[in-house]
PDB file of all heavy atoms in Angstrom:
ATOM      1  N   ARG A1595      35.285  21.154 -34.288  1.00 93.00           N
ATOM      2  CA  ARG A1595      36.583  20.490 -34.417  1.00 93.00           C
ATOM      3  C   ARG A1595      36.412  19.003 -34.127  1.00 93.00           C
ATOM      4  O   ARG A1595      35.794  18.609 -33.131  1.00 93.00           O
ATOM      5  CB  ARG A1595      37.575  21.117 -33.447  1.00 93.00           C
ATOM      6  CG  ARG A1595      39.008  20.598 -33.563  1.00 93.00           C
ATOM      7  CD  ARG A1595      39.954  21.497 -32.781  1.00 93.00           C
ATOM      8  NE  ARG A1595      41.257  20.881 -32.586  1.00 93.00           N
ATOM      9  CZ  ARG A1595      42.213  20.831 -33.497  1.00 93.00           C
ATOM     10  NH1 ARG A1595      42.001  21.367 -34.684  1.00 93.00           N
ATOM     11  NH2 ARG A1595      43.380  20.265 -33.249  1.00 93.00           N
ATOM     12  N   VAL A1596      36.977  18.143 -35.010  1.00 92.00           N
ATOM     13  CA  VAL A1596      36.924  16.688 -34.840  1.00 92.00           C
ATOM     14  C   VAL A1596      38.357  16.156 -34.866  1.00 92.00           C
ATOM     15  O   VAL A1596      39.094  16.404 -35.832  1.00 92.00           O
ATOM     16  CB  VAL A1596      36.095  16.010 -35.943  1.00 92.00           C
ATOM     17  CG1 VAL A1596      36.039  14.497 -35.697  1.00 92.00           C
ATOM     18  CG2 VAL A1596      34.687  16.594 -35.997  1.00 92.00           C
ATOM     19  N   VAL A1597      38.744  15.448 -33.818  1.00 92.00           N
ATOM     20  CA  VAL A1597      40.107  14.922 -33.680  1.00 92.00           C
ATOM     21  C   VAL A1597      40.045  13.402 -33.562  1.00 92.00           C
ATOM     22  O   VAL A1597      39.281  12.869 -32.747  1.00 92.00           O
ATOM     23  CB  VAL A1597      40.805  15.512 -32.443  1.00 92.00           C
ATOM     24  CG1 VAL A1597      42.204  14.918 -32.281  1.00 92.00           C
ATOM     25  CG2 VAL A1597      40.882  17.032 -32.552  1.00 92.00           C
ATOM     26  N   LEU A1598      40.829  12.715 -34.389  1.00 90.00           N
ATOM     27  CA  LEU A1598      40.949  11.253 -34.300  1.00 90.00           C
ATOM     28  C   LEU A1598      42.121  10.923 -33.394  1.00 90.00           C
ATOM     29  O   LEU A1598      43.268  11.269 -33.692  1.00 90.00           O
ATOM     30  CB  LEU A1598      41.158  10.657 -35.692  1.00 90.00           C
ATOM     31  CG  LEU A1598      41.539   9.169 -35.759  1.00 90.00           C
ATOM     32  CD1 LEU A1598      40.482   8.316 -35.080  1.00 90.00           C
ATOM     33  CD2 LEU A1598      41.732   8.738 -37.202  1.00 90.00           C
ATOM     34  N   ALA A1599      41.831  10.262 -32.274  1.00 88.00           N
ATOM     35  CA  ALA A1599      42.875   9.845 -31.320  1.00 88.00           C
ATOM     36  C   ALA A1599      42.890   8.325 -31.285  1.00 88.00           C
ATOM     37  O   ALA A1599      41.963   7.697 -30.772  1.00 88.00           O
ATOM     38  CB  ALA A1599      42.584  10.412 -29.933  1.00 88.00           C
ATOM     39  N   THR A1600      43.938   7.723 -31.839  1.00 83.00           N
ATOM     40  CA  THR A1600      43.995   6.274 -31.968  1.00 83.00           C
ATOM     41  C   THR A1600      45.314   5.723 -31.455  1.00 83.00           C
ATOM     42  O   THR A1600      46.345   6.393 -31.513  1.00 83.00           O
ATOM     43  CB  THR A1600      43.817   5.866 -33.450  1.00 83.00           C
ATOM     44  OG1 THR A1600      43.962   4.454 -33.567  1.00 83.00           O
ATOM     45  CG2 THR A1600      44.845   6.539 -34.350  1.00 83.00           C
ATOM     46  N   GLY A1601      45.268   4.513 -30.977  1.00 78.00           N
ATOM     47  CA  GLY A1601      46.490   3.829 -30.563  1.00 78.00           C
ATOM     48  C   GLY A1601      47.184   3.139 -31.718  1.00 78.00           C
ATOM     49  O   GLY A1601      48.253   2.554 -31.540  1.00 78.00           O
ATOM     50  N   ASP A1602      46.602   3.228 -32.915  1.00 77.00           N
ATOM     51  CA  ASP A1602      47.176   2.580 -34.091  1.00 77.00           C
ATOM     52  C   ASP A1602      48.319   3.404 -34.666  1.00 77.00           C
ATOM     53  O   ASP A1602      48.584   4.525 -34.230  1.00 77.00           O
ATOM     54  CB  ASP A1602      46.088   2.382 -35.152  1.00 77.00           C
ATOM     55  CG  ASP A1602      46.303   1.114 -35.963  1.00 77.00           C
ATOM     56  OD1 ASP A1602      47.468   0.682 -36.063  1.00 77.00           O
ATOM     57  OD2 ASP A1602      45.313   0.567 -36.495  1.00 77.00           O
ATOM     58  N   ARG A1603      48.975   2.828 -35.690  1.00 78.00           N
ATOM     59  CA  ARG A1603      50.102   3.494 -36.324  1.00 78.00           C
ATOM     60  C   ARG A1603      49.663   4.779 -37.008  1.00 78.00           C
ATOM     61  O   ARG A1603      48.503   4.960 -37.381  1.00 78.00           O
ATOM     62  CB  ARG A1603      50.734   2.572 -37.373  1.00 78.00           C
ATOM     63  CG  ARG A1603      51.185   1.241 -36.836  1.00 78.00           C
ATOM     64  CD  ARG A1603      52.072   0.528 -37.861  1.00 78.00           C
ATOM     65  NE  ARG A1603      51.616   0.667 -39.212  1.00 78.00           N
ATOM     66  CZ  ARG A1603      51.136  -0.345 -39.955  1.00 78.00           C
ATOM     67  NH1 ARG A1603      50.997  -1.536 -39.414  1.00 78.00           N
ATOM     68  NH2 ARG A1603      50.786  -0.145 -41.209  1.00 78.00           N
ATOM     69  N   ALA A1604      50.637   5.670 -37.222  1.00 82.00           N
ATOM     70  CA  ALA A1604      50.341   6.978 -37.810  1.00 82.00           C
ATOM     71  C   ALA A1604      49.811   6.853 -39.231  1.00 82.00           C
ATOM     72  O   ALA A1604      48.873   7.564 -39.609  1.00 82.00           O
ATOM     73  CB  ALA A1604      51.591   7.861 -37.786  1.00 82.00           C
ATOM     74  N   ASP A1605      50.380   5.943 -40.037  1.00 81.00           N
ATOM     75  CA  ASP A1605      49.936   5.834 -41.421  1.00 81.00           C
ATOM     76  C   ASP A1605      48.508   5.302 -41.513  1.00 81.00           C
ATOM     77  O   ASP A1605      47.706   5.787 -42.319  1.00 81.00           O
ATOM     78  CB  ASP A1605      50.898   4.944 -42.226  1.00 81.00           C
ATOM     79  CG  ASP A1605      51.066   3.568 -41.611  1.00 81.00           C
ATOM     80  OD1 ASP A1605      50.807   3.424 -40.396  1.00 81.00           O
ATOM     81  OD2 ASP A1605      51.447   2.632 -42.341  1.00 81.00           O
ATOM     82  N   VAL A1606      48.170   4.322 -40.658  1.00 81.00           N
ATOM     83  CA  VAL A1606      46.810   3.790 -40.652  1.00 81.00           C
ATOM     84  C   VAL A1606      45.824   4.844 -40.170  1.00 81.00           C
ATOM     85  O   VAL A1606      44.763   5.055 -40.768  1.00 81.00           O
ATOM     86  CB  VAL A1606      46.730   2.532 -39.767  1.00 81.00           C
ATOM     87  CG1 VAL A1606      45.294   2.021 -39.688  1.00 81.00           C
ATOM     88  CG2 VAL A1606      47.648   1.452 -40.310  1.00 81.00           C
ATOM     89  N   GLY A1607      46.163   5.532 -39.088  1.00 83.00           N
ATOM     90  CA  GLY A1607      45.294   6.583 -38.570  1.00 83.00           C
ATOM     91  C   GLY A1607      45.093   7.709 -39.568  1.00 83.00           C
ATOM     92  O   GLY A1607      43.982   8.222 -39.733  1.00 83.00           O
ATOM     93  N   ALA A1608      46.167   8.104 -40.248  1.00 86.00           N
ATOM     94  CA  ALA A1608      46.068   9.187 -41.227  1.00 86.00           C
ATOM     95  C   ALA A1608      45.166   8.800 -42.389  1.00 86.00           C
ATOM     96  O   ALA A1608      44.392   9.627 -42.903  1.00 86.00           O
ATOM     97  CB  ALA A1608      47.464   9.555 -41.733  1.00 86.00           C
ATOM     98  N   ALA A1609      45.247   7.538 -42.834  1.00 84.00           N
ATOM     99  CA  ALA A1609      44.402   7.086 -43.941  1.00 84.00           C
ATOM    100  C   ALA A1609      42.930   7.161 -43.556  1.00 84.00           C
ATOM    101  O   ALA A1609      42.093   7.654 -44.324  1.00 84.00           O
ATOM    102  CB  ALA A1609      44.776   5.665 -44.336  1.00 84.00           C
TER     103      ALA A1609
END
Side-chain angles (χ1 to χ4, degrees):
R1595 185 167 166 79
V1596 182
V1597 178
L1598 170 58
T1600 176
D1602 213 334
R1603 303 193 320 248
D1605 56 338
V1606 177

